[in-house]
Amino acid sequence: MERNKMEEEEVAFDEMASVQRLHELKLIAPDMTEQGIFSEERIKNHVARGAGITLLYAPERVDETILGELETLAKEAGVLSKMQRMQSGEVMNCIKGHQSENRAVLHTAVRDFFGEENNSGPAKEAAAMAKIECDKLKQFLSSIGDEFSELFMIGIGGSDLGPSAIYYALEHLLIKGRKVHFINNIDPDSLALAVKGADLKRSLAVVVSKSGSTIETKTNEEFLRSKFKAAGLDPGRHFIAVTGEGSEMDDARRYLKVFYIWDWIGGRYSSTSMVGGVLLGFALGFDTFWEFLKGAHAMDQVALREDIRSNLPLMGALLSVWNRNFLGMATLAIIPYAQGMSRFPAHIQQLSMESNGKHIDRRGNTVSHRTGMVIWGEPGTNAQHSFFQLIHQGTDTIPLEFIGFKESRFGDDYTFEKTTSQEKLIANLIAQAIALAIGQKSNNPNREFLGNRPSHLLIAKRQDPFTIGALLAYFEHKVAFEGFIWNINSFDQEGVQLGKVLANKVLNRMPSMKSASDPFPVADAFIKHFGDV
C-alpha cells in the first residue's frame, strides 16, 4: 500500500534508514586525490542531461554505493511525489498545526504553456490566469511601440534579484536604443544615480510589490514620482504596477497599466511571472521573454523525471545534501565563468538562503540536522585571483557549483597564442575543477594542495533565453528538493519579518527624537549616536 500524503510529509530526515547508512558511508567516501580515481570513465559515468544543460559531477566525492543510497534517500523522502504535488497546486507552503501562509506554490504554472501542461484543477486555473497577463503584456508592448526608450525597475529582494540577474545574462539581446535602471535600495543615492542623465519624458517606471505596501518600494516610488512631477510630467502616464489584484497599487488612475501576480508565487520564485516579464519584455522583446519561459518549463518537466540520475535539479540537491549533512560543509560557492552571469550568484543566494534557512520542520519541531548552506560567489576568472586561494589551500573545504558555456554571447573573440579568449575561459573552468579534486603534492609545503575538494559543473552551449530559463528553474527546483529532503518549508520567509517590524518602530522614533506611542529606548540610543556623527 502506498504511503499516504500526510505520512510522506512526516518523514523526519534523521529517522530515515538511508540517512543512517549515509553517515556510515561518509567514512569511506572516495578520496579524489588517489591515483587513477579521477578518470575518463568516471567523467562519462557521472553526467546528467536535460533542457539543454549538462551536469558533470565526477569531481564530487561520491561513488556508485553512495549514489545508490542517495537515490534511496530521495525515495524515502518522497521528493518526486512532492514535486508533482507542488506543480499540481496542492498546499505546500505550510507548517502543520501552526499559523502559516498555508498556500499553494505554483511558480511553475506561469510558464506552463508549452505542451505537457499540468491538468490538475489549481495548476490549470493558475496557468490560465498567467496566460492572460502574458497576453496583456504582449498587447501593451505592441501598443507603446517606440514611445519609450528607458525603464526604471523599482523592487526589492525577489522583485529585483531574479529579474536583474536574468536581464544581465541576456543583456546582449537588448533592443537597440533601450536602457534599464534598477532601483532596489532604500538608499537615496541609488535612485539619484539611476535618474541622473535619464530622459524622463521617454521613460517608464515599473513598481513591483505583491502587497502594494512594501515600505522601501513605496518610498522609492514616491521619490521617483516626485522627479517626474518636477520635470512637468504626469506619473500616471509613465508608471506601471505589478501587484496583487485588489492591493492598494491596483489603481488604474495612478498607473498606465497594472499587471497581476498572486500569493501562490513567492518573491524569489517570481522571475517568470510579470515581476520579470514587464522588464524583460520591454528591454529584450516579448519573443525573448517567451523563449525564456519555454526554457524554464522544459526544466520543470526534467524535475518530474522518475529516473533520478537524469533529474538534474534532484541530482544537484542530493549532492548538496551529501556535502552539507554528511561531509559537514557549510557553504557553497557558485562560480559562473561568464561575465553576463555576474548577478546570478546573488539571486541564488536569496533563493536558497531565504528558502532553506530554517530550523524547524513542517510540524514546527526543531530539527536535529543541518539545513541550508551559505551561498556566495562571483564570476570566474576574476574569482580565481580573489578568494580561490582560500578555496584551494584554506582550512575549510568549500564545494563549488561551476557554470560555463561553450560559446560567448556576442561571438566577438580574439585568438592569442593559438587559443581564443573563450577557450582560455573554458580551460580555466576545467582546470579549477580538476585542481580542486586532485590537488598537488610538493616537498615545499607552501606549494602543496590537499585536493579532495568537491565541485560539479553546469554547462551549456550558449547564454540564450531558453538556457537561462532552464538554469533559473534548475536552481528553483534544486532548492525545493533540498527542502523536501530536510522536511522543512522552503516557501515562506518569516525570518525577514522581524527586521521589518522593528524598522517601523525605529522609524517612529526618527523625527527629531519626538515622543512616540511605542517607546523604544534601545533605538533611541542608536539614533543618538547617528545624531552625534
Side-chain angles (χ1 to χ4, degrees):
M1 181 177 174
E2 286 190 14
R3 181 190 299 155
N4 66 38
K5 293 178 182 178
M6 181 67 75
E7 288 173 334
E8 231 175 29
E9 289 188 355
E10 294 311 306
V11 181
F13 180 80
D14 283 337
E15 293 177 4
M16 289 186 280
S18 56
V19 170
Q20 308 311 314
R21 289 192 289 270
L22 285 165
H23 275 300
E24 297 169 3
L25 290 172
K26 73 184 180 185
L27 302 175
I28 54 172
D31 184 342
M32 299 306 296
T33 67
E34 287 184 6
Q35 188 73 28
I37 191 171
F38 201 19
S39 64
E40 182 179 351
E41 182 181 5
R42 178 180 175 84
I43 294 170
K44 288 180 179 178
N45 291 336
H46 291 75
V47 59
R49 293 184 175 87
I53 296 171
T54 299
L55 168 64
L56 296 174
Y57 56 98
E60 294 281 354
R61 293 189 61 201
V62 292
D63 56 22
E64 283 304 308
T65 302
I66 292 167
L67 288 169
E69 205 58 57
L70 287 171
E71 287 188 64
T72 302
L73 172 63
K75 292 173 183 175
E76 276 194 275
V79 298
L80 289 173
S81 171
K82 291 174 183 176
M83 176 58 68
Q84 179 65 61
R85 289 161 51 201
M86 185 195 85
Q87 293 196 29
S88 295
E90 291 192 28
V91 174
M92 303 296 286
N93 178 359
C94 59
I95 301 293
K96 302 293 183 183
H98 297 273
Q99 185 176 356
S100 60
E101 292 182 333
N102 203 41
R103 298 170 179 167
V105 180
L106 269 173
H107 48 277
T108 53
V110 301
R111 61 234 190 183
D112 194 10
F113 318 129
F114 304 100
E116 299 181 272
E117 290 92 347
N118 194 305
N119 287 316
S120 77
K124 199 169 184 177
E125 182 181 352
M129 294 163 68
K131 184 61 166 56
I132 290 171
E133 298 307 302
C134 284
D135 291 342
K136 279 170 55 178
L137 175 61
K138 186 175 183 180
Q139 189 279 329
F140 174 74
L141 294 173
S142 176
S143 71
I144 63 172
D146 295 326
E147 182 181 353
F148 300 99
S149 60
E150 300 188 46
L151 181 142
F152 295 93
M153 179 75 172
I154 301 177
I156 194 166
S159 300
D160 168 76
L161 288 165
S164 62
I166 296 153
Y167 167 76
Y168 287 120
L170 298 174
E171 194 176 15
H172 59 292
L173 301 175
L174 183 67
I175 295 173
K176 187 176 181 180
R178 294 199 170 171
K179 296 180 182 178
V180 173
H181 313 279
F182 292 96
I183 302 173
N184 49 28
N185 197 324
I186 196 65
D187 183 345
D189 290 344
S190 175
L191 189 143
L193 189 61
V195 172
K196 189 176 181 181
D199 183 356
L200 296 184
K201 290 181 181 179
R202 289 177 49 76
S203 293
L204 291 170
V206 180
V207 185
V208 181
S209 175
K210 189 192 305 182
S211 66
S213 61
T214 308
I215 187 63
E216 297 95 335
T217 301
K218 287 178 68 176
T219 301
N220 279 330
E221 177 182 0
E222 292 307 316
F223 193 179
L224 186 58
R225 280 179 179 268
S226 74
K227 299 293 185 182
F228 277 81
K229 290 174 182 177
L233 300 169
D234 176 8
R237 297 178 62 85
H238 294 263
F239 277 62
I240 297 168
V242 179
T243 190
E245 188 171 5
S247 85
E248 61 186 76
M249 283 173 56
D250 185 9
D251 186 350
R253 295 167 300 178
R254 280 174 54 83
Y255 297 96
L256 177 65
K257 194 74 174 178
V258 177
F259 294 96
Y260 293 133
I261 48 177
W262 306 273
D263 63 7
W264 35 262
I265 303 179
R268 58 196 178 276
Y269 295 95
S270 67
S271 296
T272 50
S273 72
M274 288 300 104
V275 172
V278 180
L279 157 74
L280 298 173
F282 174 84
L284 311 175
F286 184 83
D287 289 345
T288 296
F289 174 61
W290 196 247
E291 192 67 14
F292 164 70
L293 294 185
K294 191 180 294 184
H297 175 72
M299 187 58 74
D300 295 341
Q301 299 305 304
V302 172
L304 296 171
R305 289 179 179 173
E306 293 185 7
D307 177 10
I308 292 173
R309 299 286 183 100
S310 68
N311 187 323
L312 274 73
L314 179 51
M315 281 302 302
L318 290 170
L319 292 170
S320 177
V321 169
W322 171 246
N323 287 330
R324 178 66 169 133
N325 297 98
F326 303 101
L327 299 186
M329 299 169 194
T331 83
L332 172 68
I334 296 178
I335 312 295
Y337 275 69
Q339 192 58 38
M341 303 290 286
S342 61
R343 293 301 294 161
F344 234 75
H347 170 56
I348 306 310
Q349 184 179 70
Q350 186 210 10
L351 175 64
S352 178
M353 294 172 70
E354 195 167 86
S355 295
N356 290 339
K358 310 291 171 62
H359 70 276
I360 62 166
D361 65 15
R362 297 181 67 85
R363 277 285 185 185
N365 301 315
T366 301
V367 299
S368 56
H369 57 275
R370 301 294 182 187
T371 57
M373 301 175 87
V374 174
I375 308 295
W376 57 289
E378 287 286 338
T381 60
N382 214 34
Q384 294 174 203
H385 298 271
S386 174
F387 48 78
F388 269 48
Q389 170 60 44
L390 184 145
I391 290 177
H392 278 287
Q393 290 187 308
T395 54
D396 290 303
T397 299
I398 299 170
L400 287 87
E401 193 159 31
F402 291 107
I403 302 173
F405 303 92
K406 181 180 178 181
E407 299 174 3
S408 64
R409 287 190 296 170
F410 292 97
D412 186 10
D413 209 343
Y414 183 74
T415 301
F416 176 69
E417 293 184 346
K418 298 182 180 180
T419 57
T420 67
S421 296
Q422 184 68 15
E423 287 170 335
K424 291 180 177 69
L425 183 69
I426 294 169
N428 271 275
L429 187 162
I430 294 170
Q432 290 298 321
I434 294 171
L436 287 163
I438 67 175
Q440 175 178 281
K441 304 287 186 184
S442 176
N443 293 327
N444 180 348
N446 192 45
R447 293 179 177 172
E448 185 172 19
F449 293 75
L450 297 178
N452 209 27
R453 303 192 172 205
S455 68
H456 58 266
L457 291 70
L458 293 166
I459 57 176
K461 188 172 183 179
R462 65 175 68 91
Q463 266 177 267
D464 56 32
F466 183 95
T467 300
I468 297 302
L471 270 174
L472 175 80
Y474 164 85
F475 283 105
E476 289 176 347
H477 295 315
K478 176 190 172 188
V479 166
F481 276 131
E482 289 170 352
F484 294 154
I485 293 168
W486 287 323
N487 195 34
I488 60 175
N489 181 12
S490 300
F491 308 113
D492 67 1
Q493 56 284 325
E494 290 296 330
V496 178
Q497 304 307 319
L498 177 60
K500 288 183 178 180
V501 172
L502 293 183
N504 286 328
K505 285 189 176 184
V506 173
L507 280 170
N508 287 336
R509 308 293 299 166
M510 290 293 282
S512 303
M513 296 283 287
K514 292 178 182 176
S515 176
S517 59
D518 184 10
F520 198 7
V522 175
D524 291 346
F526 275 110
I527 293 168
K528 182 178 185 300
H529 283 291
F530 268 88
D532 291 341
V533 171

